[in-house]
Amino acid sequence: MEPGTPDHMIREDCAPRRVLALFDAKWTSMVLHVLATHLGGSARTGVLERSLPGISKKMLIQTLREMEASGLLSRHNHGTVPPAVEYAVTPLGRRFVEPIDLLYNWARANADALDALVARPKSSRR
Amino acid sequence: MEPGTPDHMIREDCAPRRVLALFDAKWTSMVLHVLATHLGGSARTGVLERSLPGISKKMLIQTLREMEASGLLSRHNHGTVPPAVEYAVTPLGRRFVEPIDLLYNWARANADALDALVARPKSSRR
DNA sequence: CCGCATCCCATGCGATACTG
DNA sequence: CAGTATCGCATGGGATGCGG
């Protein structure tokens, strides 16, 4: 039981790392958040695009399809013309909304801490 | 007030996006978590390395220095030989431990949902 | 033991243009 | 409006090797 004994190791296949993988998709959590928390659970492509300033059409579609593939979203094509496609949060997806919103709310409530992270004017260098 | 009016837009410089930036560093949150929650707030480089299986020495050092630069960690060189350097979570860094641990705990408690994400054997394609 | 420098490849992702 | 196809660059990040 030496001090350096790592019983606290973050195994490579542990749950936390799997969650992080969710976030390095960069848009996944935002899509889920906007869709579930601000758009009532479902929305059309265009609405999503306008809700996420800065996202490219390519990334939007790509993200949506990946999320559909993993079961976070469902996709419904109305088959009309012009096209109307609706993406909805699945029950599985809904389970992920909780931690995401928690994180987002923390962020909003702690904007000061985030500012400190960037603004390091008078540094403590060495 | 049409249905598609985006008062729910996720602005490009909003707090949530800044938090996400933290996570796409890939190791930052894990370092913070291990250090604060499992190692009592500070540890030497080697201990950290062994606590994060899969991290390369390069990424470990790089992450640690970036975190020091942004004020999440402090670095103390003992000046001995062989070298002994100790990284400690700063008060600022400690503020980020809360949401990270929240996320990690959620992950551990919801491993089943995470499994579902990957294991999509019988697909619902179309 | 701690840290830095290189090389180098995989990929993320935006820009743009085209189709039904 | 929804989606696809290309191109091209920036960058993340691993491997390896040197130095104090």
Side-chain angles (χ1 to χ4, degrees), chain B residues 21-77:
Chain B
L22 240 184
F23 287 96
D24 63 29
K26 180 178 181 183
W27 294 107
T28 305
S29 70
M30 268 187 274
V31 167
L32 216 43
H33 173 75
V34 167
L35 208 47
T37 306
H38 295 289
L39 297 176
S42 74
R44 296 183 49 184
T45 316
V47 175
L48 283 168
E49 188 171 3
R50 266 169 271 120
S51 298
L52 301 169
I55 196 173
S56 65
K57 192 180 293 196
K58 174 192 170 185
M59 284 316 295
L60 176 61
I61 300 296
Q62 184 177 308
T63 304
L64 289 172
R65 300 312 259 262
E66 285 170 0
M67 292 175 72
E68 187 203 2
S70 55
L72 293 172
L73 299 184
S74 64
R75 174 178 180 275
H76 178 239
N77 188 341

Side-chain angles (χ1 to χ4, degrees), chain A residues 19-117:
Chain A
V19 182
L20 293 193
L22 241 182
F23 286 96
D24 64 28
K26 179 178 181 183
W27 294 107
T28 305
S29 71
M30 268 186 275
V31 167
L32 215 44
H33 173 75
V34 167
L35 208 47
T37 306
H38 295 288
L39 297 175
S42 74
R44 296 182 48 182
T45 316
V47 174
L48 283 169
E49 188 170 3
R50 267 169 271 118
S51 298
L52 301 168
I55 196 173
S56 66
K57 191 180 294 196
K58 174 192 170 185
M59 284 316 294
L60 177 61
I61 301 296
Q62 183 177 309
T63 303
L64 290 171
R65 300 311 259 263
E66 285 170 0
M67 291 175 73
E68 188 203 0
S70 55
L72 293 172
L73 300 183
S74 64
R75 174 177 179 277
H76 178 238
N77 188 341
H78 289 209
T80 61
V81 50
V85 178
E86 189 105 16
Y87 290 92
V89 182
T90 63
L92 175 61
R94 203 161 291 282
R95 295 188 55 180
F96 289 85
V97 173
E98 175 195 346
I100 289 171
D101 282 5
L102 238 40
L103 195 64
Y104 281 33
N105 290 334
W106 181 94
R108 278 186 273 267
N110 291 271
D112 59 328
L114 290 163
D115 289 339
L117 230 58

Side-chain angles (χ1 to χ4, degrees), chain B residues 8-27:
Chain B
H8 48 261
M9 282 195 344
I10 308 284
R11 293 175 30 113
E12 302 204 47
D13 65 336
C14 67
R17 289 209 188 183
R18 315 254 309 272
V19 181
L20 292 192
L22 240 184
F23 287 96
D24 63 29
K26 180 178 181 183
W27 294 107

Side-chain angles (χ1 to χ4, degrees), chain B residues 71-114:
Chain B
L72 293 172
L73 299 184
S74 64
R75 174 178 180 275
H76 178 239
N77 188 341
H78 290 210
T80 61
V81 51
V85 178
E86 189 107 15
Y87 290 92
V89 182
T90 63
L92 176 60
R94 204 162 290 282
R95 296 187 56 178
F96 289 85
V97 174
E98 175 195 346
I100 289 172
D101 283 6
L102 238 42
L103 196 64
Y104 280 33
N105 290 334
W106 181 95
R108 278 187 273 267
N110 290 273
D112 60 326
L114 290 163

